[in-house]
Amino acid sequence: MELRRKLEILADAAKYDASCASSGSEKRDSREGGLGSTEGMGICHAYAPDGRCISLLKVLLTNACIYDCAYCINRATSNVPRARFTVRELVDLTLDFYRRNYIEGLFLSSGIIRSPDYTMERLVDVARILREEHGFRGYIHLKTIPDASPELLAEAGRHADRLSINIELPQEGALKALAPEKDLSEIRRAMGRMRLRIEEAKEARKTERRAPAPRFAPAGQSTQMIVGADASDDRAVLGTTANLYGSYGLKRVYFSAYSPIPDASRLLPPVAPPLVREHRLYQADWLLRFYGFTLEEIMAGGEGGMLDLGIDPKLAWALRHRGEFPVDVNRAPRDRLLRVPGLGAKTVDRLLTARRHRSIRSEDLARLRLPLAKLLPFLVTEDHRPRVTDQLDLRALVAPRTGFARAARPVQLALL
Amino acid sequence: MIGIALPGPADFEAWRAEARRLLAAEVPPERVAWHLRGESAGLFADEAAPAPSPRRDGITVPRAFPELAEVAIRHRDPERFALLYRILWRIAGGEAGLMQVAVDPDVLRAHAMAKAVRRDAHKMHAFVRFRELAGEDGPRFVAWFEPEHHILEAEAGFFIRRFAGMRWSILTPEASAHWDGEELRIGPGGRRTDAPAEDAKEDLWRAYFASIFNPARLKPAAMRAEMPVRYWRNLPEARDIPRLMAEAPRRVAEMVARGATPPAPRRQRVLAADVEAPMPADLFTQDPTAALAALRAEVLADRGPLAEHATQAVFGEGPIGAALLFVGEQPGDEEDIAGRPFVGPAGRMFNRALEEAGIPRAEAYVTNAVKHFKFKPTGRRRLHQSPDAGDIAHYRPFLRREIEIVGPRLVVSLGATALRALTGKPLAITKVRGEVVKSEDGLPVFPTVHPSYLLRLPDPESKAREYARFLGDLKSAWREVQ
């Protein structure tokens, strides 16, 4: 098969994985030899018309797979054409694209062929050849196969910046029904093993200066969860997400709205992807991790275990907790300001610094280009006090007008 | 007005030297007309530059100012020099905290300029596209790029660090940067046609761009926000965007109309059965090793209410026939990950105490009353939660059988949960500590505190006292079984 055709098949097969981050790794560059650099911040080299960043060459080694996961285009019983890169083809493609500044590096995944170890070995080969034979200093993200042997995992961690195992679905029952060969317990144990190794490598780097411990995935591990393929509600999705962050020290849990695939399984007929839901889940996840909200508080803004799709979860919470407002921008502590709809963490910090020098007025907020219509019903400034905090049409007043366009704009998923 | 000519559009050092001189001479910002060398200073620049006044030489400003100014000066706005001098003037004039007033119009504007410059730099790192040019002495990679601000020289370092081993040139309308593998040379500006018109790998890259796009998630506004249209003319992949967008609705409609497809007649090859199926556990075995292994398998397969959120069940460890069997509360964060009991902070303290009490490891079996970690996920950590009566009851049959198989002479309960699991009663440890009580099955139980209690004590004094007491308990228990 011609290389271009292979690339088309194996990129198409990889596009349902949302992750494309290239950030958070160690600093290194090519001034001492080799090719490439990573400087901490990820770079998005292009954007596709789906609004997603293209940072890494994201492909599968092969889309042949012995697993039969209903949501996956590459499942064993799918009719898609199959292809397989040779290790050499993948190495050359990565280097050719990198030299032209198309990409930050490689995100390599694969269907399971023959056995988990056999597949993992091929993935590790590509990473090893890039690193050892070509001195490649760019970013490498390897998808890890949960049942692969510990030795292969150690080698993968030595070459890769990031490793990931997909949790796939929010609940065990759904995984059993839709991905019969996958085992949630095994996935969790594998994430646990990765956490241990990542922590060990970090710890050893801190203490033993002379003989640095073997490198292990300095940019950590991440995972992806498909949203909308099973009946799990937002509460279940966010609960599982919080558990994953807390248990395995994940850098990111990616949500991926279940998207129609050209060759759908009878178990999961094609429907439009729930993009707004995906977006609201990301917002809620942010509030949980960086804004001090609890799951109960966030779910209180919605109904029946689902978030409000029409407005962001912070605003939804605020509208139901009018008693907490207004908050005084010149006096309130940080945690209260973080709860004001329209104020982000960065803005809050700037306001806290600025107010030490002088009182904040409404025009100051306008100069910072903050969304005043959304903010002012909840905020007291030097020259403004919201008059009616319980007016019934407040939602209509503060909800975004452009509807979906605004709601669907993806948050640029920076790593913290 | 005093006309000040600067040698380059982003020459921070030159601006700084001039600004220092003006400030020392106490020239207010409204009397300075900044311009680039070779450009006209304007009609009213009729005064000569001042001689430095000795009175105000050492001007100190917060570090935040030069850091901001060095970046903002690369902005294309012709007023940048004046704005920065005005901020400097105000800081020196008594507004020492000015840089922290993010809402001040001058500071805000300078920050906005710096932000625009940083964004432009970031986009340059992202959107430069090299084309390969074959040469006698090897390939050379050449790119044509049109930055919005005066950033080429400042950003050349990024490309040197990344492509140090390549020979490359980046051409812009204003200037060009050339790297020969050792040295950077800044040359004059160029034209689009000075760069190669194509590259052999571009077809592959465009094929990749088209294939990685998911037509079911069309969000062109998000794409344009991050990849503004003005960059498109120098991005080979952007040529395909209109076609991809136009085709998307039809592709999605087709997918939905097609619905589910029947499974492929020939399924992908199935995994060869090279894994032996685990032997079914023999529940009626007389061999204690086999019985313990069977019980362990049963515990690991438990899908009780706590199993849903935990990584795995954690079973006991130690020799069958151990004289002492220690029962803790439940696995913690580290035990849950490792799948082994007593490996976390409390476990480490327990092991130390065991050693100091002179109890050989081979004489001790350790396990927990509850086999899964019960916790509340909060942000980045898991918060331990005490098991309730229902949790204890769920795991009690496992615990009883575990103890029965190991057959210790004395069971030591660590903490309230273990004591409750063993006796079936919510007893207070303070009341029964140090005496031997009976378990529900009539086994002797020796209650003491859980080692995590010792970790939680705030002051070193009570910590030392309680640790000694715990050690005493362990020694007493050990004496009981001699």
Side-chain angles (χ1 to χ4, degrees):
Chain A
M1 192 184 283
E2 189 211 352
L3 182 64
R4 185 191 153 121
R5 181 72 191 126
K6 275 191 194 179
L7 177 61
E8 282 169 351
I9 292 173
L10 295 167
D12 190 85
K15 74 182 169 202
Y16 301 97
D17 204 307
S19 160
C20 202
S22 55
S23 54
S25 198
E26 61 199 2
K27 274 196 167 196
R28 53 175 190 254
D29 63 50
S30 62
R31 282 174 296 179
E32 304 288 317
L35 169 72
S37 61
T38 53
E39 304 197 343
M41 193 166 37
I43 299 174
C44 298
H45 283 272
Y47 286 81
D50 51 20
R52 281 184 163 173
C53 143
I54 300 174
S55 183
L56 304 170
L57 171 62
K58 178 162 60 179
V59 288
L60 300 192
L61 176 76
T62 174
N63 64 339
C65 190
I66 57 176
Y67 286 7
D68 204 33
C69 308
Y71 49 81
C72 182
I73 183 168
N74 308 311
R75 67 187 183 283
T77 56
S78 155
N79 298 285
V80 289
R82 310 281 173 168
R84 178 175 173 176
F85 280 126
T86 65
V87 170
R88 177 55 53 196
E89 281 169 339
L90 261 175
V91 167
D92 288 346
L93 204 53
T94 307
L95 295 172
D96 282 341
F97 278 14
Y98 196 88
R99 285 194 192 100
R100 285 159 181 77
N101 204 40
Y102 299 160
I103 52 169
E104 285 296 285
L106 176 68
F107 175 9
L108 186 59
S109 180
S110 182
I112 310 281
I113 38 171
R114 279 194 229 177
S115 70
D117 268 0
Y118 177 84
T119 312
M120 194 69 211
E121 242 174 76
R122 304 280 100 57
L123 298 183
V124 170
D125 269 353
V126 175
R128 183 175 44 74
I129 292 172
L130 276 170
R131 292 283 192 234
E132 291 180 354
E133 290 181 21
H134 300 277
F136 182 64
R137 308 278 160 90
Y139 196 93
I140 297 180
H141 177 166
L142 289 183
K143 183 70 57 184
T144 311
I145 296 157
D147 319 289
S149 75
E151 293 75 30
L152 282 170
L153 181 67
E155 209 189 341
R158 197 155 57 238
H159 301 308
D161 293 286
R162 168 164 292 184
L163 297 174
S164 63
I165 299 176
N166 284 355
I167 192 86
E168 308 292 12
L169 294 165
Q171 289 178 309
E172 186 170 16
L175 194 68
K176 270 212 175 94
L178 298 178
E181 291 90 353
K182 295 207 175 190
D183 173 6
L184 181 64
S185 309
E186 185 47 47
I187 292 172
R188 280 197 175 149
R189 282 198 296 275
M191 286 179 171
R193 286 194 293 271
M194 292 221 282
R195 176 187 135 184
L196 280 185
R197 282 182 191 263
I198 291 166
E199 284 174 355
E200 272 168 24
K202 262 202 191 130
E203 200 52 43
R205 278 186 172 218
K206 260 188 258 165
T207 48
E208 298 162 39
R209 293 228 177 89
R210 280 198 198 155
R215 181 181 178 281
F216 195 90
Q221 61 167 326
S222 64
T223 193
Q224 165 169 293
M225 193 190 298
I226 300 166
V227 175
D230 68 320
S232 303
D233 60 12
D234 291 345
R235 178 190 296 275
V237 169
L238 291 169
T240 300
T241 305
N243 183 355
L244 290 170
Y245 277 119
S247 301
Y248 310 113
L250 294 172
K251 290 283 187 212
R252 278 301 299 276
V253 175
Y254 289 93
F255 300 127
S256 177
Y258 178 63
S259 173
I261 47 178
D263 195 74
S265 156
R266 281 174 179 159
L267 288 175
L268 278 177
V271 287
L275 296 182
V276 182
R277 185 178 174 204
E278 178 191 279
H279 179 61
R280 296 286 177 236
L281 284 168
Y282 273 126
Q283 291 177 318
D285 170 44
W286 233 245
L287 294 181
L288 281 170
R289 287 189 297 138
F290 307 115
Y291 286 77
F293 282 84
T294 66
L295 184 56
E296 288 318 306
E297 286 175 322
I298 286 174
M299 295 320 300
E303 293 285 350
M306 296 300 277
L307 299 168
D308 191 329
L309 288 180
I311 52 176
D312 70 80
K314 198 204 245 183
L315 181 58
W317 174 83
L319 286 176
R320 298 212 178 172
H321 296 83
R322 304 281 178 81
E324 306 268 337
F325 299 98
V327 167
D328 189 336
V329 72
N330 286 304
R331 279 171 197 86
R334 186 170 189 272
D335 59 325
R336 291 288 302 272
L337 286 174
L338 283 177
R339 292 193 166 227
V340 175
L343 285 188
K346 241 187 196 165
T347 308
V348 166
D349 290 339
R350 289 172 81 186
L351 290 172
L352 288 174
T353 313
R355 79 184 190 187
R356 290 210 300 264
H357 298 272
R358 59 178 237 208
S359 273
I360 311 281
R361 307 173 65 84
S362 300
E363 59 182 29
D364 295 326
L365 301 176
R367 265 196 229 113
L368 289 172
R369 299 192 179 181
L370 297 172
L372 288 194
K374 186 176 184 177
L375 268 177
L376 288 180
F378 300 101
L379 211 56
V380 173
T381 68
E382 180 67 16
D383 57 342
H384 164 84
R385 172 167 281 276
R387 256 167 295 166
V388 200
T389 55
D390 57 347
Q391 68 195 57
L392 288 169
D393 53 357
L394 186 54
R395 183 187 164 113
L397 202 73
V398 293
R401 267 163 247 280
T402 45
F404 180 65
R406 189 169 293 234
R409 204 180 145 189
V411 255
Q412 221 342 273
L413 308 167
L415 279 168
L416 285 161
Chain B
M1 291 290 267
I2 300 171
I4 299 288
L6 294 171
D11 194 334
F12 177 65
E13 289 309 322
W15 176 87
R16 176 149 73 175
E18 295 291 354
R20 272 197 190 129
R21 217 149 57 86
L22 291 165
L23 200 59
E26 296 185 347
V27 180
E30 53 284 2
R31 280 187 50 218
V32 187
W34 298 86
H35 60 101
L36 290 177
R37 202 170 283 165
E39 281 176 8
S40 154
L43 278 178
F44 306 104
D46 45 8
E47 283 179 60
S53 114
R55 278 190 304 117
R56 295 184 51 184
D57 257 356
I59 303 149
T60 53
V61 293
R63 189 180 302 160
F65 176 72
E67 278 172 6
L68 175 69
E70 196 179 356
V71 178
I73 206 162
R74 296 172 204 149
H75 200 278
R76 69 171 170 199
D77 187 335
E79 288 185 32
R80 61 194 180 280
F81 307 120
L83 171 73
L84 293 172
Y85 182 60
R86 191 160 62 240
I87 294 174
L88 181 65
W89 174 263
R90 289 176 60 192
I91 293 172
E95 292 181 70
L98 181 61
M99 290 305 292
Q100 289 181 328
V101 186
V103 293
D104 177 89
D106 281 347
V107 176
L108 207 60
R109 192 162 160 215
H111 271 294
M113 282 183 184
K115 194 175 169 190
V117 168
R118 281 197 202 96
R119 184 177 155 88
D120 197 33
H122 191 68
K123 294 301 177 198
M124 180 178 177
H125 300 169
F127 298 149
V128 157
R129 295 284 181 267
F130 285 115
R131 284 172 169 158
E132 190 175 356
L133 204 59
E136 279 167 22
D137 45 354
R140 172 167 205 94
F141 290 84
V142 183
W144 167 251
F145 188 73
E146 295 166 85
E148 223 174 335
H149 304 289
H150 309 288
I151 58 169
L152 177 68
E153 207 170 335
E155 299 313 320
F158 170 86
F159 294 93
I160 293 173
R161 292 191 294 279
R162 177 156 289 198
F163 302 115
M166 282 164 36
R167 299 188 311 135
W168 53 260
S169 297
I170 300 173
L171 317 176
T172 77
E174 185 179 272
S176 56
H178 309 271
W179 175 256
D180 61 3
E182 275 163 24
E183 248 181 301
L184 179 74
R185 187 169 59 79
I186 299 293
R191 276 173 320 203
R192 193 166 208 256
T193 48
D194 294 339
E198 54 187 15
D199 183 281
K201 304 291 173 188
E202 261 170 27
D203 271 355
L204 281 174
W205 170 241
R206 287 171 61 186
Y208 174 71
F209 181 81
S211 306
I212 204 73
F213 160 59
N214 183 349
R217 299 179 58 104
L218 198 61
K219 284 186 193 175
M223 167 185 63
R224 285 192 203 100
E226 297 297 339
M227 193 167 77
V229 177
R230 60 175 207 84
Y231 292 106
W232 290 14
R233 60 177 177 268
N234 296 321
L235 294 169
E237 65 273 24
R239 259 176 275 165
D240 299 296
I241 292 173
R243 175 179 63 83
L244 292 172
M245 280 172 52
E247 289 172 358
R250 182 179 50 75
R251 288 171 67 191
V252 179
E254 274 173 19
M255 277 193 268
V256 174
R258 200 182 306 138
T261 52
R266 208 167 57 91
R267 184 195 154 110
Q268 294 285 298
R269 197 148 58 110
V270 181
L271 175 64
D274 57 355
V275 189
E276 265 181 59
M279 292 286 285
D282 181 0
L283 295 177
F284 304 103
T285 178
Q286 293 298 307
D287 170 17
T289 309
L292 198 63
L295 179 62
R296 180 172 187 273
E298 212 179 313
V299 168
L300 295 190
D302 172 65
R303 303 313 295 156
L306 297 187
E308 193 189 336
H309 301 293
T311 303
Q312 54 196 320
V314 177
F315 195 64
E317 263 183 23
I320 290 170
L324 290 175
L325 186 146
F326 293 89
V327 182
E329 185 199 54
Q330 63 167 347
D333 173 71
E334 291 184 41
E335 286 84 4
D336 171 80
I337 298 295
R340 299 182 54 200
F342 289 85
V343 295
R348 286 192 287 272
M349 171 173 266
F350 173 73
N351 286 335
R352 183 162 67 104
L354 214 57
E355 207 183 311
E356 284 180 32
I359 302 173
R361 222 29 243 253
E363 290 298 324
Y365 184 97
V366 291
T367 191
N368 285 301
V370 167
K371 308 296 189 194
H372 284 103
F373 181 26
K374 184 176 184 180
F375 63 93
K376 203 174 153 189
T378 55
R380 295 216 148 264
R381 282 186 328 115
R382 301 193 278 187
L383 277 190
H384 165 276
Q385 283 198 305
S386 296
D388 59 27
D391 301 324
I392 295 171
H394 175 81
Y395 294 97
R396 189 187 285 139
F398 294 130
L399 180 64
R400 286 167 82 168
R401 281 162 58 199
E402 195 177 8
I403 295 172
E404 195 192 329
I405 297 168
V406 175
R409 267 175 275 166
L410 181 64
V411 178
V412 182
S413 71
L414 306 168
T417 298
L419 188 58
R420 182 168 189 172
L422 290 161
T423 61
K425 286 173 284 195
L427 295 172
I429 298 175
T430 45
K431 297 238 171 81
V432 290
R433 186 171 182 177
E435 41 180 286
V436 174
V437 298
K438 285 271 179 248
S439 80
E440 270 191 318
D441 296 333
L443 288 166
V445 174
F446 186 86
T448 182
V449 294
H450 194 278
S452 67
Y453 161 72
L454 305 174
L455 288 175
R456 282 197 305 270
L457 289 170
D459 59 305
E461 219 173 290
S462 53
K463 218 171 217 168
R465 191 181 59 234
E466 285 300 313
Y467 181 75
R469 203 172 158 206
F470 180 63
L471 215 57
D473 283 350
L474 292 185
K475 285 178 183 161
S476 311
W478 182 231
R479 270 198 305 277
E480 287 282 330
V481 296
Q482 292 310 298

